[in-house]
Amino acid sequence: MTDATVKAVPEALADGEIVAPSPREEMRRRAKSHIGLIFGGSIVTLVTLIAIFAPILAPYDPYDQDLTRRLIDPVWKTGNWANILGTDALGRDYLSRLIYGARISLMVGFGAAAIAGTVGSLIGIIGGYFGGRVDSVVVYLINVKLALPGLLIALSLVSIVGGSVGALVLILGFLTWDRYAVVTRSVAQQLRGNDFITAARAVGASQTRIILGELLPNVMNQIIVIASLEIAIVILIEAALSFLGLGVKPPEPSWGLMIAEARNFMFFKPHLIAIPGFAIFLLVIAINMAGDGLRDVTAPEGRN
Amino acid sequence: MNMQPKTQQSPATQTPAVEIANLSRSFQVGASLMSKGKTLRAVEDVNLSVKRGEVLGIVGESGSGKTTLSRMMLGLMKPSGGSIRIDGQNITTIGRSELSRKVQPVFQDPYSSLNPRKTIGQIISLPLETHGSGSREERTKAVEEMMLQVGLAPRLIHSYPSQLSGGQRQRVAIARALMIRPEILICDEPTSALDVSVQAQILNLLKDLREKFNLTYIFITHDLGILEFIADRVAVMYMGRVVESATAWNVMNAPRHPYAEALLGSVLTPDPKLGLPDLHLGRGFPDPLNPPTGCSFHPRCPKAMPQCSANAPRTTRDEHGLVECHLYPEGASK
């Protein structure tokens, strides 16, 4: 380095075009070749679209009872296209109820994940970033949460508060934040010693700016992956609660509730249970596949 | 190579850019509920003064307290004792945001100093956003201008750090540090993670920028070759203490403290016939939790005398600078 003739500027200006793809391009490329992600993702997208456009897609009002048209068989038995999936015990069109049921499942799933993701990630990042006493408190909170029997608490809370979609979202949201907290805490712990955090502090950035601007973008991938898996779990819990009569109240068309209402006809009208059961199965497995795919696609990047 | 002092005579010589007096920082190690743990003195009784526009090199082994010192100067760590004055103002009375306008860091590892999730443009404009200066367009323009100043093509503004080479990343880090026009740049081993060819470019860049932006550098390194090239004055640290401080020329050509001498002897030469330098440093670095008695360097010192293990040497100041060694007793100028 004693050679003062080495020029300071030209190398960096002159060197060639960018060869390495950006992290985003890299991720897009991996996503395109991931079958599970494409398959799961397209089913989730399809169900979401169906839920959004339910009023247009549903052939009948899902609440409209017609006792003269009870328990009609689906089209593959009757050949009658008026009620494609038949009707239930109160003469309501089953397809319309199934379509509107997607709304409740997705609303509970995404709503609870949004609450749990926000609460859990904030708690986790704060614990991992600040460390010390703050972290002890966070670890204590996580341990308390992990020791709680989640489903039992959900059951008792719902029976006290009463079942509505809003109550379910809140209760399930505050019962599933722990996984976000565990993961984001460990990522924040790894990142806090990095010089880019020190640089941000030296520039005078506030702790809020460091947490939201520097740390959050680095844990976003992990949060999305956990969320996709948690949504599936929450949808199952909602179905279970509704089946037990503690979730969504009739006449709301929740898939779990539809199964519960069809219990009495299980032996002579099995499709009444099979159809919503298959819908739950398909949605949950699609979300799981998409979540696994997201993890595969983002993990190499997340590890830097 | 020009070995004479390189400082330009500036009219503002009255207040030093940085003045450090009796600065100490200790850590409690292994403290728990039951025991108090041990005290690690990372920085002990450091006195330094850096004039405006000067380049002070701080040299020493790993664990000698260089980085702790730099973190205190950045205001990221509170001293246990003593004071740091920036432009004559005590650092504890300067607000976070005001201090960041005066002192900025450049780090060693350009891989961990840039947020992998942000574009180069976002990284360089962070200081402006934090200080809320300018509109979005003004900031982008300022970022592009700064990128040119540090030798980065403005088209890289939308790339991510992972797409850049080590040298380019270090340029980004320098650009970020200069965005709010600080007076003092604390470079903590800014070239040691880079290839030798890139090191020279970054050093030349830092030299250019010093003149353009009127900067004062505090240059922390373990590489004396770099200091020879860039520093006006050099402080040699050992176990948290400044054992010798003098002009770069004096330290390079007439080192007084045996440790400084040993460090100079440890510089690797490109001539393979010379082989590895022969160091008379004996055992390794002492355990900083159980520092040796007397002069902390005496177990490794080739010139150790009986008094060295008994009592710590006093600081001797003379026209050459400062030295802390029993070979140079107070008053006896060599």
Side-chain angles (χ1 to χ4, degrees), chain A residues 37-68:
Chain A
L37 179 61
I38 293 167
F39 184 72
S42 37
I43 291 180
V44 175
T45 317
L46 189 71
V47 175
T48 312
L49 287 176
I50 288 175
I52 291 169
F53 295 108
I56 300 164
L57 293 169
Y60 299 95
D61 183 340
Y63 305 102
D64 219 2
Q65 302 180 10
D66 184 353
L67 291 177
T68 59

Side-chain angles (χ1 to χ4, degrees), chain A residues 140-164:
Chain A
Y140 177 75
L141 281 176
I142 293 174
N143 282 335
V144 168
K145 168 63 201 61
L146 288 173
L148 291 176
L151 197 59
L152 284 184
I153 290 179
L155 279 174
S156 46
L157 279 178
V158 173
S159 60
I160 294 167
V161 183
S164 69

Side-chain angles (χ1 to χ4, degrees), chain B residues 80-305:
Chain B
S80 318
S83 68
I84 303 174
R85 287 175 178 278
I86 309 279
D87 283 341
Q89 201 183 349
N90 196 316
I91 202 165
T92 49
T93 64
I94 309 177
R96 197 61 287 226
S97 139
E98 204 193 328
L99 180 64
S100 70
R101 287 186 178 278
K102 291 179 187 278
V103 192
Q104 277 296 305
V106 174
F107 295 103
Q108 170 178 15
D109 179 8
Y111 290 84
S112 98
S113 68
L114 307 180
N115 192 336
R117 293 272 158 198
K118 294 177 128 191
T119 63
I120 303 307
Q122 288 171 323
I123 290 170
I124 299 178
S125 70
L126 176 73
L128 295 182
E129 277 165 37
T130 307
H131 289 263
S133 41
S135 66
R136 185 176 272 272
E137 293 80 48
E138 281 166 355
R139 274 186 239 146
T140 313
K141 205 161 166 270
V143 167
E144 280 175 353
E145 273 165 21
M146 184 55 79
M147 286 177 81
L148 281 171
Q149 294 278 352
V150 300
L152 281 169
R155 66 179 154 77
L156 293 172
I157 198 163
H158 297 298
S159 350
Y160 286 85
S162 59
Q163 298 170 289
L164 267 55
S165 69
Q168 285 174 321
R169 282 159 171 256
Q170 201 57 293
R171 286 172 199 265
V172 174
I174 293 168
R176 170 179 59 194
L178 293 178
M179 271 321 263
I180 35 177
R181 305 295 143 107
E183 296 156 24
I184 302 154
L185 214 57
I186 298 183
C187 307
D188 191 348
E189 309 249 12
T191 57
S192 59
L194 305 171
D195 287 347
V196 178
S197 59
V198 184
Q199 283 187 3
Q201 292 165 358
I202 296 294
L203 284 176
N204 277 313
L205 172 68
L206 285 170
K207 258 192 152 178
D208 290 352
L209 292 172
R210 178 186 157 206
E211 277 158 34
K212 259 188 227 163
F213 291 94
N214 223 340
L215 293 163
T216 305
Y217 284 157
I218 294 177
F219 217 92
I220 297 170
T221 182
H222 58 255
D223 188 339
L224 285 160
I226 288 171
L227 291 186
E228 188 177 24
F229 177 64
I230 201 164
D232 299 313
R233 292 200 315 121
V234 170
V236 182
M237 280 188 84
Y238 187 76
M239 300 240 353
R241 303 186 71 91
V242 172
V243 292
E244 175 163 0
S245 146
T247 61
W249 193 91
N250 267 320
V251 174
M252 295 297 156
N253 296 282
R256 293 195 287 175
H257 196 280
Y259 179 61
E261 229 172 290
L263 271 184
L264 269 175
S266 74
V267 176
L268 287 172
T269 45
D271 188 351
K273 270 175 262 164
L274 291 172
L276 284 175
D278 189 12
L279 288 183
H280 303 286
L281 277 179
R283 304 185 275 159
F285 200 69
D287 178 9
L289 287 173
N290 297 306
T293 52
C295 169
S296 55
F297 186 58
H298 85 263
R300 304 169 79 188
C301 183
K303 296 178 184 165
M305 301 177 284

